[in-house]
Amino acid sequence: MARLSRSGPLLFVTGVVFMLLGLALAIGGIWLIALGGSWYYLFAGSALVATGVLLALGRTLALWLYALVLLASTVWALVEVRLDWWQLLPRLDVWFALALWLWLPFVNRRLGSVDAANRAVADGSLRGGRWAIGITVALALAVGGISLFRSPHDHPGTIAAARMNATGTAPAPLAKPGDWTAYGHSGYGDRYSPASQVTPQNVGKLQVAWTFHTGDFPGPGDPQEIANEVTPLKANGMLYLCTPHDIVIALDPDTGRQIWRFDPKIDRHAKGYQHMICRGVAYYDSGAYAAQAAAMGLAADPNVAAAASAPTPPGAVAPTAIKVDTCPRRIFVPTADATIVAVNADNGQPCRDFGVDGVIHLYNDQPVKKPGFLNPTSPPTVTRHVLIASASVTDNASTNEPSGVIRGYDIDTGRLLWNFDPSEPSQTNPLPPGQTYIRNSPNAWSVFSVDEKLGLVYLPTGNQTPDIWGGRRDPNAEKYSSAIVALDIATGQARWVYQTVHHDLWDMDVGGQPTLVDLDMRQGKVPALVASTKRGDIYVLDRRDGRLLVPAPERPVPQGAARGDHVSSTQPFSALTFMPERKLREADMWGTTPFDQLVCRITFRKYRYEGIFTPPSVQGSLIYPGNYGIFDWGGIAVDPVRQVAILNPSYMAFVSRLVPREKARAAQGGGSEQGLQPMKGTPFAVDLHPLLSPVGVPCQAPPWGYLAAVDLTTMKRVWMHRNGTIEDQAPFGIPLPLGVPSLGGPMVTAGGVAFLSGTLDSYLRAYDVRTGKKLWQARLPAGGQATPMTYVSERTGRQYVVVMAGGHRSLGTKIGDSLIAYALPK
């Protein structure tokens, strides 16, 4: 102790700190080695312990040894991740800070004082040690400085001038050019507006034109998964939106002034709600549809007429009593308690001559009627004669849930015309009294697309719940799970189906609305469908028959399902893809320091992982991309004139761990899609959660989110840039540009500007379609997990860009109630 005290208390404490840090690192390193991981942490930890001992003893050799530690760590980091700043940072930040501490004269001046008999040697060793520390610090600083100015994950590019200068009229079925009459602008779902007032040259001048507050906030008993994901509609001289509790509001599009409000007064106290979300409403104008359909040469469909003359279901209004003119323009709103309500678009009054007193009840003929278990979160689909409706079911709750049936109703009367139950696909006529649909059949919870000329509606389908174990799924329904299904609008009969995931055990359903676009191909104009998927593949199909336009060969995938289940031997892999270029590696694990990075490496090694489609397991499987998906319900935006797609891929790894039933008694389900889910009726519950470090940051290295463009004439990625910051997640609001996930879709305009608001930081951003360069951003008062839209005022000719800043409680973004419109200065 006498010799230790001669080194001074500061050196002694410093040495103890080094020893403790090194001991923790070495112990974790031994664990990692036992799992087959890197030896670096054991060596670095041991060297830290030795450095700490030498410091406590007052030996100058401590500086030399620590300089070697920093040098070796820098070389090791470069070998693992090269000049990637955000990957180098957690590997070197603590070691760099400790080196600076040791380099300070007031810290190291007492080193060598224990060697008074060899003063000259000790002084020389101290000077040399200081130089060694200084040189390695300078080297680490140089490596960091060089890497700071590199962007290894960005893919710069420029869309060809011929594409950007393309001219023509984009097909926008049954929509006025300046309006936004459906969730995806039109039934084509392209999220493209021909508005061109806002351009790359003037978008930087956008400013707030008006703000409207809905006044709808989460309340007692609401589920965790409550969010404002609405994309408003512009039609009939008004702006229409819905709130999380399904309140419909009509606004003046020039001022944001409320014109009317309709509250369907949903049952907010049902225990089974997993979501409280309204992504949008549907708009129908019988007169406009008739006139525009005639202009397109669309005749009345005799199949629809025959269905409309069928006997009246009990409780419905008889056709002779219908007075359609009382509601010629309608808003259809889906509600969380499983109804579709028809509201007069002019004044907000219920259309009581529709359905039963203005309401369609989606629980009709369902085999299970638990409140909250059937929940339409997306707007129904409007066609000339048929309103097509579906709903989500509670994920991973049980094998005893409502059917995922999709139903077509007479759009004027609400009469049921047909039903497509994926478990009984050939029986599309309305059920006889006393019969019910098939429980747990696959559902279609997202937004549909429509081609009126072909008479087809296109469904993106989910898998048969429970999502993560499928040993008892209906063989008939498997064909329609996680697929694109084309139904005949008039009859509900399936015309074709293309499955994107066989026997889906990963919740890799098709979340985004398919986009319809007529593509210039070698054989001429081809009516195509472009479907984004959670797994990251983009499937391009001929929408007439489902034939692949871009190859998607079947490839072998990992095997070894959980007890009682199986996996498909192959899966289709599209040549147009945003899937990660390679599997995750231990070196891809991240953190804020070497210590939480080490924990992430250990965590990575503990789980089963063989790349995409690693089957869920009791051990716990790493699912990458995770079940939030590379692309989710926001879909993609397509400029049909330039034939360019704008996409916002996200990359987050999840963990899927099956829990044997006897150990899963606490699993309740409902209220969230994360955590322990019961999957009652199966041998397992499942624990689903993102792969996070002990401090709550992703274990997987950034970037986690991008904006990208694809030239659809070549099917090649043109540019791809990391997008968004961690401003709203980082301490002190530091806007580090790591690239963050986004939930919500992009929108693109004829002016050559794309918009996106869905990132985890609260911004609406504008980008140059040609290069992807960020041109403008506006801070939002809450999370913007919604797809923006744009319209042109009929009164003033002014173009507005509108976004809902309402937040998403499951993602942790700030909750709000602001609908904000931006425009150029008058």
Side-chain angles (χ1 to χ4, degrees):
M1 285 299 295
R3 296 196 63 177
L4 292 178
S5 64
R6 289 174 60 188
S7 67
L10 184 59
L11 273 182
F12 180 74
V13 171
T14 299
V16 171
V17 170
F18 270 67
M19 284 187 276
L20 292 175
L21 292 176
L23 188 62
L25 204 69
I27 292 172
I30 293 171
W31 191 358
L32 183 60
I33 291 170
L35 293 170
S38 171
W39 285 67
Y40 162 79
Y41 294 90
L42 175 59
F43 290 147
S46 301
L48 276 180
V49 171
T51 300
V53 171
L54 291 171
L55 287 170
L57 292 172
R59 300 295 185 182
T60 57
L61 184 58
L63 297 182
W64 292 91
L65 179 57
Y66 191 75
L68 182 61
V69 170
L70 181 57
L71 176 62
S73 297
T74 303
V75 172
W76 168 77
L78 283 171
V79 170
E80 277 213 323
V81 298
R82 301 183 181 179
L83 292 171
D84 185 338
W85 164 257
W86 295 110
Q87 285 262 46
L88 290 171
L89 187 64
R91 287 168 168 80
L92 299 176
D93 52 5
V94 172
W95 310 151
F96 184 83
L98 292 177
L100 287 178
W101 175 255
L102 291 184
W103 188 63
L104 295 173
F106 76 87
V107 175
N108 63 48
R109 64 187 177 189
R110 294 199 44 108
L111 285 173
S113 60
V114 296
D115 298 318
N118 300 297
R119 184 76 269 162
V121 174
D123 289 347
S125 180
L126 178 59
R127 286 194 297 272
R130 287 171 174 170
W131 272 102
I133 290 285
I135 290 171
T136 54
V137 164
L139 177 62
L141 192 63
V143 168
I146 294 170
S147 65
L148 188 59
F149 294 99
R150 298 183 75 253
S151 299
H153 301 284
D154 273 20
H155 303 277
T158 302
I159 293 174
R163 295 262 54 82
M164 292 304 299
N165 296 330
T167 59
T169 302
L174 309 177
K176 294 180 180 178
D179 280 358
W180 191 285
T181 57
Y183 176 84
H185 178 252
S186 72
Y188 274 24
D190 50 26
R191 279 158 286 281
Y192 165 83
S193 171
S196 58
Q197 190 178 107
V198 177
T199 67
Q201 291 72 39
N202 62 23
V203 66
K205 298 179 182 178
L206 282 178
Q207 59 188 27
V208 174
W210 52 259
T211 299
F212 175 79
H213 296 282
T214 68
D216 190 19
F217 287 92
D222 283 342
Q224 175 67 22
E225 185 86 3
I226 187 168
N228 276 286
E229 297 179 355
V230 66
T231 297
L233 304 186
K234 163 61 171 62
N236 193 32
M238 300 184 208
L239 205 63
Y240 300 102
L241 68 148
C242 58
T243 72
H245 295 103
D246 305 317
I247 300 168
V248 186
I249 303 171
L251 305 178
D252 183 309
D254 285 295
T255 65
R257 176 183 60 85
Q258 179 175 305
I259 298 174
W260 57 256
R261 174 184 290 244
F262 172 78
D263 185 350
K265 300 187 185 303
I266 64 170
D267 176 6
R268 295 178 60 166
H269 304 293
K271 301 297 184 183
Y273 289 129
Q274 192 171 59
H275 311 278
M276 195 67 78
I277 292 167
C278 183
R279 295 192 183 95
V281 298
Y283 173 74
Y284 173 67
D285 183 334
S286 59
Y289 259 81
Q292 293 178 10
M296 294 171 64
L298 300 177
D301 194 310
N303 292 312
V304 174
S309 63
T312 305
V317 180
T320 55
I322 296 298
K323 296 180 180 179
V324 175
D325 288 341
T326 61
C327 257
R329 289 166 294 279
R330 300 178 179 186
I331 295 295
F332 296 103
V333 56
T335 70
D337 51 2
T339 71
I340 304 293
V341 182
V343 182
N344 190 318
D346 296 335
N347 55 31
Q349 296 299 309
C351 297
R352 301 200 180 278
D353 52 7
F354 176 83
V356 179
D357 202 25
V359 178
I360 290 173
H361 294 274
L362 299 182
Y363 271 117
N364 286 347
D365 300 326
Q366 283 286 358
V368 177
K369 300 186 178 183
K370 296 179 182 178
F373 273 56
L374 190 68
N375 185 342
T377 55
S378 299
T381 300
V382 165
T383 71
R384 286 181 296 152
H385 303 298
V386 184
L387 179 73
I388 304 166
S390 63
S392 67
V393 300
T394 302
D395 285 338
N396 295 314
S398 75
T399 56
N400 185 34
E401 295 193 34
S403 168
V405 61
I406 295 92
R407 285 172 278 198
Y409 300 88
D410 184 293
I411 202 161
D412 292 317
T413 67
R415 178 192 302 275
L416 180 64
L417 302 177
W418 53 258
N419 35 242
F420 174 76
D421 186 337
S423 291
E424 288 281 0
S426 62
Q427 303 299 322
T428 59
N429 291 328
L431 297 180
Q435 289 193 15
T436 63
Y437 304 115
I438 307 300
R439 69 189 66 233
N440 279 71
S441 55
N443 65 88
W445 55 269
S446 190
V447 186
F448 306 161
S449 300
V450 174
D451 187 327
E452 295 267 15
K453 286 186 176 179
L454 292 177
L456 296 179
V457 58
Y458 304 94
L459 322 177
T461 67
N463 56 355
Q464 187 170 11
T465 191
D467 297 330
I468 313 301
W469 189 87
R472 298 170 188 165
R473 287 181 183 162
D474 180 357
N476 293 328
E478 288 269 53
K479 176 181 178 180
Y480 298 97
S481 294
S482 300
I484 303 296
V485 181
L487 300 184
D488 187 295
I489 294 173
T491 66
Q493 291 284 346
R495 292 274 193 90
W496 57 259
V497 57
Y498 180 82
Q499 189 169 63
T500 66
V501 180
H502 310 317
H503 193 63
D504 184 359
L505 303 177
W506 304 270
D507 196 16
M508 289 294 164
D509 46 3
V510 186
Q513 179 186 18
T515 296
L516 311 185
V517 57
D518 296 337
L519 293 179
D520 293 320
M521 306 192 78
R522 292 179 181 177
Q523 59 268 49
K525 282 279 189 186
V526 177
L529 177 150
V530 184
S532 60
T533 63
K534 285 186 178 181
R535 58 180 287 189
D537 274 1
I538 308 291
Y539 294 92
V540 185
L541 309 168
D542 188 320
R543 66 178 184 265
R544 294 169 294 189
D545 54 18
R547 178 176 54 89
L548 282 167
L549 298 176
V550 172
E554 296 278 339
R555 297 177 186 169
V557 292
Q559 299 297 291
R563 169 172 47 93
D565 206 349
H566 68 279
V567 292
S568 173
S569 59
T570 64
Q571 297 287 354
F573 286 79
S574 177
L576 177 56
T577 184
F578 281 81
M579 282 197 306
E581 295 178 357
R582 55 171 173 77
K583 294 193 299 184
L584 282 177
R585 308 165 301 166
E586 181 194 316
D588 294 318
M589 294 302 101
W590 199 63
T592 57
T593 69
F595 298 95
D596 56 319
Q597 186 185 58
L598 171 58
V599 174
C600 283
R601 285 176 179 252
I602 292 170
T603 303
F604 173 81
R605 289 286 182 178
K606 285 169 56 180
Y607 290 124
R608 179 183 178 185
Y609 178 63
E610 301 161 41
I612 189 171
F613 296 120
T614 299
S617 62
V618 175
Q619 171 188 348
S621 295
L622 188 62
I623 309 300
Y624 181 65
N627 62 316
Y628 266 21
I630 293 178
F631 303 107
D632 203 354
W633 53 263
I636 64 175
V638 171
D639 182 332
V641 176
R642 300 181 176 104
Q643 303 206 359
V644 170
I646 303 296
L647 316 93
N648 56 317
S650 298
Y651 299 89
M652 286 289 291
F654 268 65
V655 173
S656 178
R657 184 175 65 88
L658 294 173
V659 181
R661 176 62 53 206
E662 61 272 14
K663 299 180 180 179
R665 301 302 180 192
Q668 299 298 321
S672 176
E673 291 184 76
Q674 295 184 28
L676 192 61
Q677 309 289 301
M679 296 206 302
K680 295 177 181 178
T682 77
F684 303 98
V686 64
D687 180 17
L688 298 171
H689 60 268
L691 184 67
L692 300 178
S693 81
V695 296
V697 302
C699 274
Q700 157 208 345
W704 306 298
Y706 295 85
L707 194 76
V710 169
D711 185 334
L712 293 175
T713 64
T714 63
M715 298 299 169
K716 300 294 183 183
R717 189 183 312 180
V718 181
W719 51 257
M720 181 168 169
H721 304 299
R722 64 186 178 186
N723 185 53
T725 74
I726 61 169
E727 178 175 347
D728 293 314
Q729 288 77 38
F732 312 111
I734 303 171
L736 300 178
L738 272 64
V740 295
S742 52
L743 192 61
M747 177 265 289
V748 65
T749 70
V753 181
F755 293 87
L756 178 70
S757 65
T759 52
L760 292 185
D761 57 350
S762 299
Y763 283 95
L764 171 65
R765 294 184 171 95
Y767 312 85
D768 189 331
V769 169
R770 187 175 63 94
T771 64
K773 178 183 177 182
K774 184 181 72 176
L775 302 171
W776 169 85
Q777 66 180 24
R779 182 70 166 159
L780 300 175
Q785 282 67 56
T787 302
M789 53 83 75
T790 188
Y791 59 91
V792 177
S793 167
E794 297 167 344
R795 294 198 295 267
T796 65
R798 199 178 185 195
Q799 182 182 349
Y800 294 87
V801 177
V802 176
V803 65
M804 168 55 74
H808 196 295
R809 202 156 68 177
S810 288
L811 294 182
T813 58
K814 183 180 177 181
I815 295 295
D817 71 332
S818 302
L819 188 74
I820 307 174
Y822 300 86
L824 297 173
K826 293 182 179 180

mmCIF file of all heavy atoms in Angstrom, residues 241 251 584:
data_model
loop_
_atom_site.group_PDB
_atom_site.id
_atom_site.type_symbol
_atom_site.label_atom_id
_atom_site.label_comp_id
_atom_site.label_asym_id
_atom_site.label_seq_id
_atom_site.Cartn_x
_atom_site.Cartn_y
_atom_site.Cartn_z
ATOM 1 N N LEU A 241 -60.708 14.051 -43.224
ATOM 2 C CA LEU A 241 -59.779 13.235 -42.462
ATOM 3 C C LEU A 241 -60.520 12.510 -41.353
ATOM 4 O O LEU A 241 -61.667 12.838 -41.032
ATOM 5 C CB LEU A 241 -58.655 14.077 -41.866
ATOM 6 C CG LEU A 241 -59.044 15.074 -40.757
ATOM 7 C CD1 LEU A 241 -57.899 15.228 -39.760
ATOM 8 C CD2 LEU A 241 -59.371 16.436 -41.371
ATOM 9 N N LEU A 251 -62.821 19.989 -43.623
ATOM 10 C CA LEU A 251 -62.188 21.297 -43.469
ATOM 11 C C LEU A 251 -62.259 22.083 -44.761
ATOM 12 O O LEU A 251 -62.326 21.517 -45.863
ATOM 13 C CB LEU A 251 -60.713 21.138 -43.072
ATOM 14 C CG LEU A 251 -60.380 20.311 -41.836
ATOM 15 C CD1 LEU A 251 -58.873 20.232 -41.654
ATOM 16 C CD2 LEU A 251 -61.046 20.892 -40.603
ATOM 17 N N LEU A 584 -26.506 -10.356 -41.599
ATOM 18 C CA LEU A 584 -25.887 -9.676 -40.474
ATOM 19 C C LEU A 584 -24.715 -10.496 -39.952
ATOM 20 O O LEU A 584 -24.747 -11.732 -39.966
ATOM 21 C CB LEU A 584 -26.899 -9.481 -39.342
ATOM 22 C CG LEU A 584 -27.917 -8.368 -39.477
ATOM 23 C CD1 LEU A 584 -28.865 -8.391 -38.285
ATOM 24 C CD2 LEU A 584 -27.249 -7.006 -39.582
#
